[in-house]
Amino acid sequence: MASGSHSWHCCLLLAFFLVFSGADGLSTAYYATSCPSLQQVVRATVSSAIQAERRIGASLIRLFFHDCFVQACDASILLDDVPETGFVGEKTAGPNVNSVRGYEVIDRIKANVEDVCPGVVSCADIVALAARDSTALLGGPNWAVPLGRLDSTTASLAEANRDLPGPDSDLGTLIARFGAKGLSPRDMTALSGSHTVGFSQCTNFRAHIYNDTDIDPAFAALRRRTCPAAAGNGDSNLAPLDVQTQNAFDNAYYHNLLVRRGLLHSDQVLFNGGSQDALVQQYSSNPSLFAADFAKAMVKMGNLCGAGGEVRCDCRVVNDS
């Protein structure tokens, strides 16, 4: 978390920046003058975090997704509950609690950015840049990130519980949930490819490995070794979302789907006799196509912006009024 001195300096300069920035909409050059070293600072901090724990890269990509699907890409997911005021954030929503990670890395990036550009860069933009850098540092595509988001002063636990697709979602639900955010079925299938990195808990894939028939029996048996059938036993045990190259951002996720080795029910439904089968086959055989479509879909999702807000001094709390 940013220190008290960082927050004080940030708030001192915040009003000046908001009045004189004059920026409408997002731009890849948004901080070219106000914080020219921003992207180097973010990438260096993300790189350090990934060197310490490679899994955190996947977590930062997922954090961006879970932020953008609730109130748009506004860093609302970063806000802590404040019991004394009755403020309730999104961290305890079903899809987020004991699942979304990386908050401390965002705090670290924010503190490092504040050291060089106090009061200038939003937490929402930091989350977007961290997701891009995580993808690239894990071996995936790189892209220019449009910037200029503001941080929300509100959060929505109800919207997080309602709008984020779950691991048991069927294809129709996935298409509808993504469509509600202006994302096409192609965007959805490309973005699902982020499951080429990262892990999931037993509680998320237990039903798939024990009850579904669209799964390779040998793969189901492998996963059952560390995921007991009875709920409450081994619920938090982890398995890689991509059994082939769990720490590399590539197109192996789609190879897995072709041989019925998708870890989650919501993964395997992308290749199960439905509308996305042909696209999964294309991504499986054409890694460049997947990389290009993934980058486009991340920019498109990142363009979901809120109606207003502020540049938070501390990513976990709204600024003092």
Side-chain angles (χ1 to χ4, degrees):
M1 187 182 300
S3 70
S5 61
H6 286 141
S7 296
W8 178 82
H9 199 183
C10 166
C11 292
L12 188 66
L13 297 179
L14 183 60
F16 177 89
F17 176 73
L18 288 180
V19 170
F20 290 98
S21 63
D24 294 318
L26 304 182
S27 167
T28 57
Y30 187 80
Y31 297 108
T33 300
S34 60
C35 192
S37 62
L38 168 64
Q39 305 217 26
Q40 292 90 337
V41 172
V42 174
R43 182 157 294 210
T45 312
V46 173
S47 178
S48 177
I50 289 176
Q51 287 175 13
E53 183 202 5
R54 198 162 176 85
R55 178 186 165 208
I56 200 66
S59 299
L60 291 171
I61 298 169
R62 187 163 181 261
L63 179 62
F64 181 52
F65 172 80
H66 279 238
D67 182 37
C68 290
F69 257 58
V70 182
Q71 296 192 168
C73 309
D74 61 359
S76 60
I77 195 172
L78 303 180
L79 291 170
D80 287 339
D81 292 352
V82 185
E84 55 268 31
T85 67
F87 180 86
V88 178
E90 299 162 13
K91 292 180 178 178
T92 58
N96 295 335
V97 66
N98 299 322
S99 177
V100 174
R101 307 168 65 242
Y103 301 118
E104 294 80 7
V105 177
I106 300 299
D107 291 339
R108 201 175 312 141
I109 298 170
K110 176 67 170 175
N112 290 342
V113 170
E114 287 295 307
D115 281 341
V116 294
C117 308
V120 172
V121 181
S122 70
C123 301
D125 279 343
I126 286 173
V127 171
L129 287 169
R132 188 275 310 276
D133 289 344
S134 294
T135 302
L137 289 166
L138 293 175
N142 201 1
W143 62 90
V145 179
L147 300 166
R149 299 166 188 81
L150 290 176
D151 299 324
S152 175
T153 58
T154 65
S156 178
L157 182 69
E159 190 173 330
N161 281 319
R162 183 191 69 219
D163 289 3
L164 285 162
D168 296 324
S169 298
D170 59 26
L171 183 58
T173 299
L174 291 174
I175 290 173
R177 294 280 177 90
F178 279 76
K181 306 301 178 183
L183 298 167
S184 69
R186 188 181 188 97
D187 296 327
M188 179 268 294
T189 299
L191 290 169
S192 296
S194 64
H195 283 182
T196 189
V197 289
F199 292 76
S200 187
Q201 295 181 356
C202 165
T203 188
N204 292 325
F205 59 84
R206 175 182 283 121
H208 182 50
I209 64 174
Y210 284 101
N211 302 331
D212 288 351
T213 58
D214 59 343
I215 186 170
D216 172 56
F219 178 65
L222 173 66
R223 295 281 70 96
R224 289 172 184 171
R225 293 178 189 173
T226 55
C227 184
N233 294 322
D235 285 0
S236 62
N237 290 351
L238 297 173
L241 287 158
D242 172 3
V243 70
Q244 290 191 61
T245 55
Q246 62 194 44
N247 288 320
F249 197 103
D250 54 25
N251 67 332
Y253 168 80
Y254 300 102
H255 298 170
N256 296 333
L257 299 185
L258 296 183
V259 294
R260 311 293 182 185
R261 290 189 163 211
L263 182 64
L264 306 178
H265 177 84
S266 58
D267 290 324
Q268 194 58 59
V269 295
L270 300 182
F271 187 81
N272 200 17
S275 62
Q276 301 306 293
D277 282 16
L279 185 57
V280 168
Q281 290 175 319
Q282 290 178 50
Y283 287 159
S284 174
S285 62
N286 191 336
S288 296
L289 177 65
F290 162 57
D293 279 4
F294 181 81
K296 290 177 187 175
M298 286 289 277
V299 170
K300 187 174 178 181
M301 183 174 68
N303 286 341
L304 299 170
C305 291
E310 61 186 13
V311 175
R312 280 188 222 135
C313 301
D314 180 333
C315 289
R316 293 176 179 262
V317 296
V318 300
N319 297 334
D320 293 336
S321 55

